[in-house]
Structures are given as structure tokens and as C-alpha cells.
Amino acid sequence: MAGVAVSTTINGDSVEYLCQPDETLLDVLRDRLGLTGVKEGCGTGDCGACSIILDDRLVCSCLVLGAEAEGRRVETVEGMAHGDSLHPLQQKFLEHAALQCGICTPGFLIAAKDLLAKNPDPTEEEIRFGLAGNLCRCTGYDKIVRAVQDAANVMKGA
Amino acid sequence: MNFDPRYSTRNFASVGTRPIRPDGVDKVTGRARYGADFNMAGQLVGRVLRSPHAHATIRKIDTSKAEKLPGVKAVITAADLPDLTDGDAAMYDILDNCMARTKALYDGHAVAAVAAVDVRTARQALKLIEVDYELLPHVTDVDEAMKHSAPLINDAIFTEGLEEKPVKPSNVTKRSQFGHGDVHQGFGHADFIVERSFKTEQTHQGYIEPHACVASVSSDGTADLWVCTQGHFVYRQHCAQLLGMEASKLRVTSSEIGGGFGGKTHVWAEPVALALSRKAGRPVKLVMTRDEVFRASGPTSATSIDVKIGARKDGTITAAEATLRYSCGPYPGSWAEIGAMTAFACYRLENVKTVGYEVLVNRPKTAAYRAPSAPMAAFAVESAVDELAKEIGMDPVDFRIKNAAQEGTRSSYGPVYGPIGIGPTLEAVKNHPHMKAPLGKNQGRGMACGFWFNFGGQTCTDLNIGMDGSVSLAVGTVDVGGSRASLSLVAAEELGIAYEQVKAIVADTSSLGYNDMTDGSRGTFSSSMATISAARNAIKILRERAAQMWDIAVDDVVWEQGHAVAKGEKHGNLGKLSLKEIAAASGTTGGPIAGHSELVADGAGVSFATHICDIEVDPETGATRVLRYTVVQDAGKAVHPTYVEGQYQGGAAQGIGWALNEEYIYGKDGRLQNPGFLDYRIPVCSDLPMIDTQILEIPNPNHPYGVRGVGETSIVPPLAAIANAVSNAAGVRMAHIPMSPPRILAAIEAERAG
Ligand code: FES
Ligand code: FES
């Protein structure tokens, strides 16, 4: 199959790649571009480990084709920190131990970032429903919710 | 080595604090490398062909078309994994499970595999493999499989553990029995007896990271394996044995692991990846899809359990009995045996008897899942205990306190307990504000207890002190949930230095001696013991070096808060030497300073928990909502309390999923109907409330700091706690897990119909 040439923006950098027409954006990010912070837990849109922000929309990158990124903006966990200073969500996830194994963490961070961008002052219930598309099997979500609450407070103050 | 593991009281400086874990930043920035995040130059993609049938003889496999497809570099079947197990039946089963030899034994059983240049080619190649199956009758239900009329899964298996040797083969591979006293007599003294049968469905550990590995076999016979596993040393041994390699020629590196919960303790894909790489002469990456994870990797047992408990009017239990049947998948296991051991472990019983039956079914090989076998037994027993308390008219907590095991109690599975936490967790629950909080309409509160043994086992640890005084700690137990932080705290504690001065890593199999699997809640328990031992060995050398630097007798040097101190008046002017100063001089005082430890960590203290749960049941739909949840558990000593809480909360959440929703659903054709997270629904954030925790610390006498394993016990009580809550909310006793809305509704309707 002939490859599709794509130019897109990933974490602020312009990127060009060739991909197969049936290749998912998740596979492109992980296998072609080395952005393995984006995780695959299911490949069917059920776990949220592959969450990215595509033009201000939270999506499962396993449900998007690589070719669809043409001309758009992609944001992954790799783009959250600035230099050596972590994003408040990253910092709060560490402080609250909101990760055990950490495989779900990149997806949660991206989903939480999207949530707070749209709702800077969410209630606990809004956080719980806002993050309901992301599965975590280790933490029982308690510390994740607290980390997001704490990060929201910090970000409001900033 | 004369290491004394006994507990002694001390004031902790580092242990018990909550620093940020050393692997944390990599995990929040996406830099940490998990199983599927590693790649090698020239790597091929491996894929596995799986049986769509629950039970079938494999008459013939024709791989010729697949082999001819351009881009395919290797195709393997069982013929490429010859039997080298030399009469070791358990290893033979592992081999057969990795690649079916003569029969496919469950939907999802591997029958062939390919390595190709890319995933598309590999998938195409799988379609070109022709397997000629002869279908056989199958059985997936544990009770059905026990019937004489059931199709036999393995006609060479005769039930072990029976008084008379059976003459006919059976799907029941083993009977085991535990207990003491005379239950018959005990029931004779009872004023009240509760007797009930329970069922639990099969669940999966549900780790978010699918199994993944990269295998690279060189033509000189050496090999490398990168893999997400709970025990790389065990994987090395199994893979080496199955492939006919020397263990030392196979280096296994454990990646970051995206959850295991017991499910990453068995090889599945790894020997296949190595065989593919050997045949293709190139590295092979093999990652399971989620569908494969569900169909082919480790679910827990489905069970069927009968419980009978009798008590006097005053609330004293006079006898307790249980018969437990656990499915093992198509290979023998000891799952019912473990269930039978744990069933009544919380109680002080004069007369107790448990009998376990291991049952073969056409489902994937059962693997450990967090306190394996205990949650189902606890569900049955703790439900019956609650019912009995109600019949007697006693408060369920008081009834349990009255019968709780204590120090000196002979446990139902044999050993006599040392200091234990069941009584204290019950007292804490009795006094917990949660117990007094008001409940609304259709809401009910339940509580239940749980027990887990905890494992110790073989452990090897290296502690190296750098010239700059920083400390590298190399452990061989995989970090499944923050143990590098805990072990760094322990090293800092023992050496008397700052946590930040220690860096812990998980070493590969060529860099460290053998370590058992990280299972049985042993990671922090045993590796902290080995770390303490290694640190004490290093301190001995540090003292010697200080003595040398001062030119005094080593017996005059003691180690205090990170410093060598010269004791005695004659050395009054010598002051102190810090670890850093001694390390800086090491080049001229005898070379590098290190402490090593190789030990078998014995005496993992048993652990107990009691949970409280409030549930609301919608009587119209049978739907449930978890309103409030509290975990009280004994940790012995919480090394890093935040991660201990995390273990409590995570176990509770998994238990909630199991209790209310998760189950393997098989069709009549023996195929799994729900091999995905959409239809096998684990709890999401909006399903749960905050999970309150209370850590009790009843020191384990067999660990220098009093540490007990904490990882597993928290999944034991939830099934029963929730069942008791549902029963109190809806007025019906739920005897079948999961308590999905249709099951609850059916129970309510049956109750209404009288
Ligand atoms: S991998 Fe995309 S949702 Fe699970
Ligand atoms: S931390 Fe392991 S899945 Fe969330």
C-alpha cells in the first residue's frame, strides 16, 4: 500500500511523516515518531491510555487515523512539561501518589488537562465523570481525583 | 551470614515518611519504558494464532502458505518448541499452554505463531495458516465439569488426595482438606446453624498494560529478553528450560510494569517470542492485544462453595465447614487448596473442616490474582457469618470480635498465630465513624473481614556506596507499585542518611543473584529485609574503614546516624566520620564499599483487614451505587504510608468491580463473549467514591522493622462486605457474584414472590 504523506504539529513542533492509510495515529506516534509516552491498553477506545488532545479535543489516538492528523495540532504527555518544570498536574500526581504502575498516567494527565481547560473549577463529581473514559486498575482513583483537585487549585491561583 | 531478622522497636527517621518516588518523574512525563516501549534494530513483529474452539484435537497444521508470504521470516508451531521438560509435569503444562501440542484446550489457546516485517504482514500470515481441528465436547462451568457425565479434559488425570485411588480419570485433579476438631460434634452443640451455597464468576486481573516482550536470540546461543513481568528471574528459568538454554546465557530485563496483580507471574508469550527469534535470526517483539489478554492470559478461578456454620446462643461458633470447588482452566492447580486454607483463617474455631476440589474446565489456565483464591472463600464465609449473627440477634461486628483469632490461636489451616491484627481491625471498625453514619432509603451497610498469608522467599540485593557517598541499591524484586521508594527509605533508615542519597533500581538477571517472583505481597517485605541486611554488611565495612582511618580498633567504632563514631574516653578527640568522608577515602583504605545480601525471607507475617461499605440498591432496576467505603488493615509497619494506602484503595476497587460487575461470559459454544474492556467493565472513576483507609501497625516479629506484606489482603473482604451491604439494603441474600443488576433484580423479585 502506498503511504500517505502527513504534515502536522505535535507538541508545538511541525512534523512530517509517511503512514499507511489504515494506520492509527497511536501507532504513528509510538512506532514511527517514538512518542511512547502514549500508551496502548486496548486499541478499541475503551481504556483512555492513548488519550491525546487533537485541536483542543480529547480523543483516543487508537481511534484516529494517522492520516487524519494532517494540518492539525496534536498534544501528548511528552509536551506537558516545560523544560525541567513539570505541569502542575504532573507535580500533583507525584505528590499525591496518583500513580502506582503508571501505565494509565499519561492518559489521565492529558484527560485532566483537557478537563481543567474546559472547567477550571470542577467539583469532585465533575472530575469523576470527566475522567470516566480512562481506566486505572491500580489506584481506585481516590488519589487521582485528589491530585486533580489540588492541581486545579494551584492553576486557579497561578 | 548471621543476619538477625527479629523485630526490635526503634524510632524511625525515614521509614514512615512520604517522599516522592524515584521513578515518578519518568512516569508522569512519558519517559518510563514499559513492555511495549522498547525496540531493537531489525526487529520483527510477532503474532500468535489462537484456537477459536474450546476443545479440539489438532489433526494437522499447514503453515506452508504463510511461510511463502513475502515479509514472513518465521512460522512456528509446537514442533518448534520440542518437549524438554524431562518429566516435570508443571513445566510441561506451561509449555503446552504457550503452544498447544495435540489439543486446543480453550478458546484462545495458542496453536501457531509468525514473525514478519510488519504487523500487516504478520496478520495476513496468520490467516494463511490452516489448522485442521476435530471438535471435542467441552465444559466451562465448574459444577458441570465435576459431573460424571462431563467431557473429560485430560484422560490421564486421576483425582489425587482421595482415600482410595480412583480407577477412572476425572476433571477433578485434587482433593485437599484442612481443619481440626470434630465438626459433626460441634454442630451438635449449636443453637443456630446457617448453611448456604455460593457461586463466584471468573474475573481477570485487568492490568491496563497487555503482555509485551522483545526477544533476541543470537546464533551463538545467547539471548536477551525485555519483558513486563513480576519476576524476571523466574521467567529466565522457565524460558531457558523450555528452550533448552543455559540460564546464564539468557539475560532478562524487566521493563516498567503496567500492572500485574499476579497475572504477570507466568510465561505465555515469552517462550514463543524467543522461539520465533531463534528461527528468524532477528529480534522479535510480541505484544498481546487486549482480546488476547482476556482470552489467553490469567483469569482467576470461577468457584462454587458450600458453607455451614453453627453457633451457640451466646455467639460462640461451635463448628464451621466449607466445601470449595475452584476452576483451574485445563491444567491442574492448587487454587481450591489455597481457598480452603484461607476460608476460616479469621476465626478461633474448635471444630473446623474445609475441603477443596481442583476442577479442570475449558477456560484459560488460571493464574494468581491478588490474594489468589481468598476473596471467593471470604465471600462465602463472611456472608454466612453475617447471616448467622443476624439469626442469633447479635451485631455482626461484635459476633466477629467474639470469635476472632488471636495470638496463640491455632489457625484453621494449621499453624499457630503470633501477634495478629484481626481483633484490632474489628475494634477499629466498631469505633469508626463510618459505622455510625446515617443511611437513607434503599441503602445498606455491610462489613467483612479478610486474611492473606503473605509470602517471603528468595531474595538477593546489592548496596553499593559511591565515592561521593551516594548509594545505589540494586534489587531483584520488580517494582509493581512504588517499592523502589520504600526500599530507598529502608536503606536510608538503616544507613542513617537522607532518602535523596539513595537510588534504587531493579537489576536484570545477569547483574544480581536469583530472586523469586514479586508476588504474595513479598516485594517490600522481603527486599526490605535483604536491604537491611545488605546495609548492615556495608556498615560493618564502613566501621572497619573508619577504624583504619583513625588507626584504632574496629570494636571501638559504632555507627550512629550516618556517621562512624569512636567510642570510649581515649578516643574523645576523634569526632565523627560521615559516610561521605569514609566513601571519599575508600580508594586508599581498601577499595569500593558495598554490602550484599542473599537470604530466604522467612516469617512474612499474616495480614488481616476489615472493610465497611455502604451500598444503595435501586429496587426497580437492581442497579447499585457504592456510597462510602472504608478499609482498615494491619501493615505491620507502613514503610511509605501513601503507597500502603494506595494498595488498600486499589485492592478495594478491584474487589468492588468483582463484586458488582466483572465476569467472564462464555457462550454455549465455549467461546468467551466479552474479551474487551467495553463488555468486561472494570470500575471507572465515576463508579466509585473516595476510599477511606486506616492503617494499623501491629509489628511482624519476624522483620527488623515489623513490616508485613500489604498488597493483597485488601481484595479479600470487598466481595462479602458488598454482598452484606446489598443484603441489608435490598433485604435479599446475594449468593452469586457478581451482583449485577439482573441478578439483584431476580433476587428481589424472587423474594417478593415469596
Ligand atoms: S488504547 Fe486507545 S482507548 Fe485503549
Ligand atoms: S496506576 Fe496502574 S493502571 Fe493506573
Side-chain angles (χ1 to χ4, degrees):
Chain A
M1 258 185 281
V4 182
V6 177
S7 9
T8 184
T9 305
I10 299 179
N11 297 327
D13 298 328
S14 22
V15 175
E16 296 187 346
Y17 57 80
L18 273 180
C19 71
Q20 295 295 321
D22 61 352
E23 198 173 332
T24 65
L25 181 54
L26 172 63
D27 286 345
V28 169
L29 292 172
R30 286 183 55 83
D31 299 340
R32 293 191 188 271
L33 305 177
L35 293 169
T36 53
V38 190
K39 303 298 179 195
E40 174 163 357
C42 68
T44 50
D46 300 316
C47 77
C50 65
S51 298
I52 58 160
I53 297 172
L54 187 63
D55 283 352
D56 302 320
R57 236 187 96 202
L58 179 69
V59 297
C60 296
S61 61
C62 69
L63 298 182
V64 177
L65 291 173
E68 289 179 272
E70 171 65 35
R72 303 175 74 176
R73 272 179 300 114
V74 175
E75 222 180 298
T76 73
V77 69
E78 283 93 345
M80 277 183 77
H82 286 289
D84 67 352
S85 79
L86 296 177
H87 187 280
L89 276 162
Q90 293 172 312
Q91 186 59 34
K92 291 302 169 190
F93 265 58
L94 287 179
E95 286 170 17
H96 287 267
L99 52 142
Q100 278 174 35
C101 80
I103 193 86
C104 68
T105 308
F108 268 99
L109 288 167
I110 286 289
K113 184 168 185 246
D114 179 70
L115 172 73
L116 296 185
K118 288 164 187 161
N119 179 359
D121 192 14
T123 62
E124 181 190 331
E125 193 168 358
E126 284 167 341
I127 294 175
R128 288 193 178 273
F129 279 89
L131 300 179
N134 293 70
L135 298 181
C136 173
R137 191 57 157 174
C138 298
T139 62
Y141 305 104
D142 183 301
K143 294 183 190 301
I144 293 178
V145 173
R146 288 178 203 277
V148 174
Q149 284 172 326
D150 200 0
N153 286 334
V154 171
M155 287 162 71
K156 266 186 300 176
Chain B
M1 188 200 58
N2 50 1
F3 172 66
D4 180 3
R6 271 175 308 175
Y7 171 71
S8 61
T9 34
R10 61 190 285 155
N11 291 324
F12 292 104
S14 294
V15 164
T17 62
R18 303 169 182 246
I20 286 176
R21 63 202 272 176
D23 51 319
V25 170
D26 279 359
K27 285 185 174 162
V28 297
T29 53
R31 216 171 309 164
R33 290 200 300 174
Y34 293 82
D37 299 340
F38 182 77
N39 294 299
M40 288 179 80
Q43 156 189 304
L44 302 169
V45 177
R47 299 285 286 203
V48 176
L49 183 69
R50 298 183 180 278
S51 164
H53 306 300
H55 199 190
T57 302
I58 300 167
R59 275 194 287 218
K60 190 170 168 251
I61 303 182
D62 183 354
T63 57
S64 54
K65 283 190 195 136
E67 276 157 23
K68 284 191 202 108
L69 185 72
V72 171
K73 303 294 175 188
V75 183
I76 63 163
T77 65
D80 297 277
L81 280 163
D83 176 14
L84 306 172
T85 59
D86 201 17
D88 180 340
M91 278 313 287
Y92 182 83
D93 289 346
I94 293 174
L95 175 69
D96 190 62
N97 193 41
C98 287
M99 192 64 83
R101 307 190 77 73
T102 54
K103 284 209 294 184
L105 295 168
Y106 56 92
D107 165 33
H109 199 166
V111 294
V114 303
V117 287
D118 57 30
V119 94
R120 187 176 297 102
T121 313
R123 260 192 235 132
Q124 239 178 314
L126 290 188
K127 290 199 187 121
L128 295 174
I129 298 174
E130 290 165 8
V131 187
D132 182 7
Y133 293 106
E134 179 189 331
L135 299 198
L136 299 167
H138 65 269
V139 60
T140 52
D141 180 80
V142 61
D143 287 323
E144 291 295 319
M146 285 185 75
K147 291 184 180 157
H148 291 298
S149 54
L152 271 184
I153 291 171
N154 184 341
D155 58 13
I157 285 182
F158 295 77
T159 312
E160 276 175 41
L162 297 181
E163 264 165 36
E164 263 174 53
K165 209 170 166 329
V167 288
K168 279 211 214 138
S170 163
N171 287 331
V172 178
T173 67
K174 188 167 71 177
R175 177 191 186 276
S176 46
Q177 185 178 325
F178 298 90
H180 53 255
D182 180 340
V183 284
H184 192 69
Q185 227 175 44
F187 284 120
H189 296 140
D191 300 312
F192 296 93
I193 292 178
V194 164
E195 200 171 354
R196 199 180 271 282
S197 298
F198 299 88
K199 279 200 97 149
T200 68
E201 294 301 328
Q202 186 164 42
T203 55
H204 193 277
Q205 297 84 350
Y207 30 80
I208 306 301
E209 180 199 31
H211 299 264
C213 66
V214 180
S216 174
V217 182
S218 292
S219 49
D220 64 1
T222 61
D224 271 290
L225 179 68
W226 162 275
V227 59
C228 60
T229 169
Q230 288 174 248
H232 45 315
F233 291 92
V234 177
Y235 273 37
R236 174 179 69 170
Q237 228 157 303
H238 287 179
C239 288
Q241 194 179 341
L242 294 180
L243 282 119
M245 300 179 66
E246 274 172 45
S248 61
K249 297 213 170 125
L250 173 60
R251 183 169 70 150
V252 184
T253 307
S254 67
S255 68
E256 294 297 338
I257 177 172
F261 316 111
K264 289 177 183 165
T265 57
H266 310 257
V267 292
W268 272 288
E270 299 74 15
V272 174
L274 284 162
L276 282 170
S277 172
R278 179 166 66 185
K279 194 160 180 179
R282 280 168 66 172
V284 172
K285 180 170 185 172
L286 209 162
V287 182
M288 278 198 197
T289 62
R290 179 55 54 182
D291 172 274
E292 290 179 286
V293 171
F294 277 112
R295 283 168 69 211
S297 81
T300 186
S301 303
T303 73
S304 150
I305 302 173
D306 306 330
V307 175
K308 183 178 175 186
I309 312 178
R312 268 198 280 272
K313 276 196 227 89
D314 70 351
T316 312
I317 295 178
T318 58
E321 190 174 6
T323 305
L324 309 98
R325 309 162 199 94
Y326 280 51
S327 70
C328 298
Y331 306 103
S334 294
W335 306 108
E337 185 175 353
I338 303 172
M341 290 171 84
T342 62
F344 291 108
C346 293
Y347 299 105
R348 195 178 67 248
L349 301 167
E350 258 173 55
N351 306 296
V352 55
K353 178 180 170 190
T354 56
V355 176
Y357 293 101
E358 318 293 341
V359 186
L360 299 187
V361 291
N362 293 113
R363 294 184 181 219
K365 184 178 197 281
T366 296
Y369 178 17
R370 204 168 197 156
S373 301
M376 308 81 137
F379 160 60
V381 167
E382 289 293 292
S383 296
V385 164
D386 235 50
E387 213 174 341
L388 187 53
K390 222 171 257 172
E391 291 214 358
I392 299 171
M394 263 180 98
D395 173 79
V397 183
D398 291 334
F399 179 59
R400 286 177 171 89
I401 290 176
K402 189 170 174 77
N403 292 288
Q406 300 161 343
E407 182 165 2
T409 297
R410 179 158 174 218
S411 67
S412 55
Y413 62 97
V416 173
Y417 289 132
I420 53 170
I422 179 68
T425 64
L426 280 162
E427 295 289 347
V429 159
K430 191 175 160 65
N431 297 318
H432 198 285
H434 184 167
M435 284 308 272
K436 291 164 202 103
L439 288 167
K441 195 165 171 258
N442 296 323
Q443 298 181 348
R445 175 165 301 139
M447 50 79 58
C449 303
F451 157 88
W452 184 244
F453 308 95
N454 294 330
F455 300 170
Q458 299 186 66
T459 313
C460 182
T461 296
D462 273 359
L463 186 149
N464 287 291
I465 298 177
M467 302 252 270
D468 61 355
S470 66
V471 173
S472 318
L473 182 66
V475 301
T477 47
V478 172
D479 182 351
V480 293
S483 65
R484 271 165 293 188
S486 305
L487 297 172
S488 301
L489 282 171
V490 167
E493 183 74 49
E494 197 61 35
L495 292 169
I497 57 175
Y499 167 78
E500 292 73 24
Q501 250 173 288
V502 183
K503 171 78 181 166
I505 60 139
V506 179
D508 67 53
T509 57
S510 295
S511 314
L512 201 61
Y514 177 82
N515 279 266
D516 282 333
M517 197 65 75
T518 302
D519 63 359
S521 299
R522 79 174 214 95
T524 297
F525 166 76
S526 56
S527 268
S528 68
M529 192 184 277
T531 299
I532 292 167
S533 160
R536 288 183 185 170
N537 290 336
I539 288 170
K540 195 166 156 265
I541 299 171
L542 287 162
R543 282 174 46 233
E544 284 165 9
R545 299 296 176 83
Q548 203 179 324
M549 286 163 76
W550 279 324
D551 197 15
I552 64 174
V554 66
D555 286 345
D556 290 349
V557 182
V558 293
W559 192 257
E560 276 173 8
Q561 290 169 5
H563 293 78
V565 180
K567 277 277 160 192
E569 281 201 359
K570 57 182 171 187
H571 305 311
N573 58 345
L574 285 180
K576 293 176 178 180
L577 280 170
S578 70
L579 181 139
K580 209 172 165 168
E581 288 166 314
I582 303 170
S586 60
T588 54
T589 58
I593 302 173
H596 306 283
S597 168
E598 301 85 24
L599 52 79
V600 178
D602 285 327
V606 294
S607 129
F608 293 90
T610 303
H611 291 194
I612 321 166
C613 169
D614 295 352
I615 297 276
E616 183 172 298
V617 178
D618 180 341
E620 302 308 317
T621 62
T624 47
R625 202 153 65 90
V626 185
L627 304 168
R628 184 167 177 181
Y629 204 99
T630 303
V631 177
V632 182
Q633 187 178 318
D634 173 20
K637 173 70 201 172
V639 177
H640 191 309
T642 310
Y643 285 103
V644 173
E645 290 162 11
Q647 290 295 322
Y648 291 7
Q649 292 165 334
Q654 285 183 319
I656 292 169
W658 193 341
L660 294 175
N661 214 13
E662 295 176 32
E663 71 178 297
Y664 267 47
I665 300 170
Y666 278 91
K668 282 209 169 57
D669 56 2
R671 288 186 189 158
L672 184 59
Q673 309 279 298
N674 57 337
F677 278 134
L678 190 60
D679 300 316
Y680 182 98
R681 194 173 173 283
I682 71 172
V684 301
C685 203
S686 52
D687 293 330
L688 299 177
M690 291 294 186
I691 297 170
D692 202 3
T693 57
Q694 189 177 341
I695 300 173
L696 302 187
E697 295 188 327
I698 295 135
N700 173 9
N702 305 313
H703 185 283
Y705 295 175
V707 171
R708 297 173 194 266
V710 297
E712 292 170 293
T713 314
S714 52
I715 200 175
V716 184
L719 278 58
I722 294 166
N724 291 336
V726 169
S727 148
N728 291 332
V732 289
R733 178 51 60 189
M734 296 303 300
H736 196 161
I737 291 273
M739 295 171 280
S740 52
R743 273 198 196 111
I744 291 184
L745 200 56
I748 293 174
E749 278 167 2
E751 184 78 12
R752 277 192 201 133

